[in-house]
Amino acid sequence: MSDIEIARKADKKPIQEIGAKLDIPTEHLLPFGHDKAKVSEAFIRSLADRENGHLVLVTAINPTPAGEGKTTTTVGLGDGLNAIGKKAAICIREASLGPNFGMKGGAAGGGYAQVVPMEDMNLHFTGDFHAITSAHNLLAAMLDNHIYWGNELEIDIRRIALRRVLDMNDRALRQIVCNLGGVSNGFPREAGFDITVASEVMAILCLASDLADLEKRLGDIIVGYRRDRSPVYCRDIKADGAMTVLLKDAMQPNLVQTLENNPAFVHGGPFANIAHGCNSVVATTTALKLADYVVTEAGFGADLGAEKFFDIKCRKAGLRPSAVVLVATIRAMKMNGGVKKDDLGTENVEAVKKGCANLGRHIENLQKFGVPLVVGINHFVTDTDSEVQAIKDYCAEKGTEAILNTHWADGGKGIEETARKVVELCESGVADYKPLYPDEMSLFQKIETIAKEIYRADDVVADTKIRNQLKDWEAQGYGNLPVCMAKTQYSFSTDPNLRGAPTGHDLPIREVRLSAGAGFVVVVCGEIMTMPGLPRTPSAEKIMINDDGLIDGLF
């Protein structure tokens, strides 16, 4: 059966029963139908003095068209931990509409390791993304309105830093000219759209600790600059209060369930290649107060998602992860070893061994953060024993254990061995989390550290304008911020076609953006786009309502 057919046959429990597993009182669940609910802010505040459970990160090798199953492993591991008698919850991101109708797909797992209701999660869900889009565009509208009515703040319209957002892939909106049509429509200028998941408002919602912190961070958003290059903030436009009102409900994390009726928090959704790629701090910290083990994921490969999880989310939220699961597949190893997608079903042990270089580099990188790890091999039916053994032997040489998981086909019982290993790592107390670089390091040195330590680049290529911009931000007091690298997810380099573990490459920086509210500097590398386009044959062409009134074509 397809993922959506499996999801439809789920024996879902009322959301109040799922909340009861975490001791959430019914009155603090704000239901959306029968199978999803928001957890009230008042209840979350009441948890402040409780001890945290263990935090487990699921990350992966660089993604390939063969598919790695990182979210599937996250969901499966949560079920597996519950299956061996542990009190566990999972925390994942919400899905963006753009990729759902494009080519990437959704964010609810797959097979028998899914979060449900799958259709709702991958479409409008509880409206969080719409609220973020509205709050962001309210600020954009108030900014243009301020300029129209006399521009009291003396904003230089050539130096407006805020673009509008839309939760859809639409390359036609990347660069636009707005305010055309005469005097009554304002002052014409060049502008553009980003996808909602790249919005600083999204990043802020996912990093804010509560509503007061949210409002302060929104106020810190830089919307543009004056002629003297001094910044103009959202609070100067007086939009921060209304934006917080729009985001009040979106700030509360969403509770749903896995196919095995275990609790899952699904909240926030910044992309990992153009943002920091983690679910919300509020969801994660809430889960840690309610469960003994919390399994979360970071987007795309460990070079992007895991690095940002450690260097941005954990640093900013004071989180100390206990273990990491690094997901790999035989098929992906073959692709990294030079095998074409159409030939992945044929046994090729040598290609697996060659492709393990990508896995090995991720292992080495993750070890730099001081958190113990285990490699989870996500099983496909075409995998052979010899190919699986090749990965296990390679990992053993790296001082790491690799375990074969069959959660896609078998649910939680198919990943129990990995669950026990995770418990062992967590309870060993060997985790000694540390970020890759200190706060006091200069912004350019932080970029160089990630480029050389994680991507293994020889050098960082940035023109004088970019270097001077970084120095200006340091002079303004932003030098202690972490950096958020916007880079292709398909390679350690900025060339998506360079698979494996490439060396001898440089990291070109195209532009830098200050996200003062979110609390990081975005570094745009190579050809990465903050507004994706649709592929030649978008998934939207196959999505429709069938004669029974059900959705077809959604995975």
Side-chain angles (χ1 to χ4, degrees):
M1 291 187 292
S2 68
D3 288 351
I4 196 168
E5 289 170 329
I6 293 171
R8 280 189 193 135
K9 294 181 180 295
D11 180 21
K12 289 184 290 184
K13 304 296 184 187
I15 197 62
Q16 290 78 9
E17 289 187 30
I18 306 303
K21 289 189 173 187
L22 295 176
D23 302 316
I24 304 174
T26 298
E27 63 268 25
H28 287 295
L29 289 173
L30 314 175
F32 281 69
H34 301 291
D35 51 12
K36 51 190 180 293
K38 284 188 168 290
V39 180
S40 78
E41 182 196 9
F43 177 72
I44 292 171
R45 284 200 309 269
S46 74
L47 304 174
D49 294 332
R50 292 194 189 183
E51 289 189 12
N52 285 343
H54 290 289
L55 181 59
V56 180
L57 172 68
V58 176
T59 185
I61 60 172
N62 291 98
T64 69
E68 284 63 55
K70 177 162 46 63
T71 304
T72 305
T73 300
T74 303
V75 178
L77 182 58
D79 284 337
L81 286 164
N82 280 289
I84 64 172
K86 303 300 179 181
K87 186 178 182 181
I90 67 170
C91 287
I92 60 176
R93 292 173 295 165
E94 300 179 51
S96 168
L97 289 177
N100 278 321
F101 294 120
M103 63 181 290
K104 179 180 175 290
Y112 288 91
Q114 287 191 64
V115 175
V116 287
M118 186 263 243
E119 296 107 308
D120 291 356
M121 276 186 56
N122 284 317
L123 296 173
H124 301 288
F125 200 27
T126 59
D128 293 344
F129 280 24
H130 298 310
I132 291 166
T133 302
S134 297
H136 182 114
N137 290 336
L138 170 64
L139 174 57
M142 290 181 70
L143 171 62
D144 277 317
N145 187 62
H146 176 88
I147 294 170
Y148 177 82
W149 289 108
N151 196 6
E152 182 181 346
L153 293 170
E154 298 182 347
I155 300 166
D156 185 348
I157 65 171
R158 301 168 303 172
R159 295 189 174 95
I160 289 175
L162 188 75
R163 293 158 61 88
R164 284 168 167 80
V165 297
L166 183 72
D167 190 26
M168 196 59 61
N169 294 2
D170 192 346
R171 64 173 57 85
L173 294 177
R174 285 173 184 161
Q175 291 297 128
I176 66 168
V177 177
C178 62
N179 300 323
L180 297 178
V183 173
S184 63
N185 291 342
F187 298 88
R189 64 181 179 86
E190 190 174 358
F193 278 75
D194 292 332
I195 192 167
T196 296
V197 290
S199 165
E200 185 175 355
V201 177
M202 172 68 82
I204 287 171
L205 181 113
C206 289
L207 290 170
S209 56
D210 53 33
L211 280 175
D213 186 33
L214 175 71
E215 184 165 5
K216 179 194 177 300
R217 287 172 177 269
L218 292 172
D220 288 341
I221 294 175
I222 294 175
V223 298
Y225 297 86
R226 301 176 180 86
R227 287 180 177 268
D228 63 3
R229 306 296 179 91
S230 62
V232 179
Y233 297 94
C234 170
R235 71 173 67 87
D236 298 328
I237 303 294
K238 301 177 182 176
D240 46 334
M243 293 170 71
T244 305
V245 169
L246 284 175
L247 296 169
K248 175 177 65 70
D249 292 335
M251 187 68 182
Q252 299 173 128
N254 309 296
L255 180 69
V256 285
Q257 62 191 291
T258 69
L259 291 177
E260 298 182 12
N261 310 121
N262 293 312
F265 290 92
V266 183
H267 194 218
F271 270 9
N273 56 349
I274 52 183
H276 71 283
C278 306
N279 72 295
S280 76
V281 166
V282 169
T284 302
T285 54
T286 300
L288 285 168
K289 301 295 184 185
L290 299 172
D292 297 327
Y293 294 87
V294 174
V295 184
T296 190
E297 68 170 0
F300 293 130
D303 58 316
L304 285 173
E307 185 273 316
K308 295 171 184 179
F309 173 81
F310 289 127
D311 281 329
I312 298 176
K313 181 174 180 177
C314 291
R315 182 198 303 263
K316 292 294 185 180
L319 299 173
R320 300 196 65 83
S322 299
V324 176
V325 177
L326 175 59
V327 179
T329 63
I330 301 297
R331 290 160 59 86
M333 291 300 93
K334 289 180 186 176
M335 288 202 79
N336 276 291
V339 176
K340 295 180 179 179
K341 187 176 180 181
D342 293 342
D343 299 326
L344 294 177
T346 304
E347 183 180 78
N348 192 331
V349 176
E350 289 306 309
V352 172
K353 292 179 178 178
K354 183 180 177 183
C356 276
N358 184 270
L359 173 62
R361 181 170 289 179
H362 285 296
I363 292 173
E364 293 169 5
N365 287 347
L366 288 168
Q367 289 170 339
K368 296 177 181 181
F369 294 97
V371 183
L373 68 96
V374 60
V375 173
I377 305 172
N378 185 20
H379 178 67
F380 281 71
V381 293
T382 55
D383 300 346
T384 68
D385 292 343
S386 297
E387 290 172 330
V388 171
Q389 192 60 47
I391 290 186
K392 289 186 175 183
D393 292 343
Y394 179 86
C395 290
E397 293 173 3
K398 291 283 185 181
T400 303
E401 185 176 356
I403 301 173
L404 184 66
N405 300 315
T406 61
H407 49 281
W408 186 89
D410 301 321
K413 67 180 181 180
I415 196 171
E416 286 186 7
E417 184 181 354
T418 298
R420 291 190 179 91
K421 180 65 177 180
V422 164
V423 171
E424 176 191 324
L425 293 176
C426 290
E427 294 184 349
S428 69
V430 299
D432 184 23
Y433 156 72
K434 55 184 181 297
L436 190 66
Y437 51 81
D439 289 344
E440 58 270 17
M441 183 180 279
S442 74
L443 292 174
F444 193 76
Q445 282 180 309
K446 290 171 183 173
I447 296 168
E448 283 188 315
T449 300
I450 295 172
K452 294 179 179 180
E453 293 288 327
I454 302 298
Y455 309 152
R456 312 300 171 90
D458 290 341
D459 200 6
V460 175
V461 180
D463 62 29
T464 303
K465 180 180 178 182
I466 287 173
R467 292 172 186 258
N468 288 340
Q469 179 65 84
L470 295 172
K471 290 177 182 176
D472 287 345
W473 288 334
E474 288 170 351
Q476 295 166 18
Y478 297 110
N480 65 332
L481 298 184
V483 293
C484 181
M485 308 297 285
K487 180 188 78 72
T488 179
Q489 65 268 34
Y490 297 113
S491 172
F492 280 104
S493 73
T494 55
D495 180 354
N497 298 311
L498 279 182
R499 299 197 185 279
T503 56
H505 59 92
D506 293 332
L507 183 80
I509 301 177
R510 196 176 82 232
E511 64 173 305
V512 287
R513 301 180 182 179
L514 175 57
S515 294
F520 53 67
V521 172
V522 180
V523 182
V524 183
C525 307
E527 297 301 315
I528 196 71
M529 293 291 182
T530 50
M531 169 55 87
L534 291 171
R536 182 181 295 274
T537 307
S539 298
E541 293 183 5
K542 303 173 185 175
I543 298 173
M544 60 192 70
I545 301 290
N546 64 24
D547 292 339
D548 297 321
L550 301 173
I551 298 171
D552 277 346
L554 194 64
F555 324 120

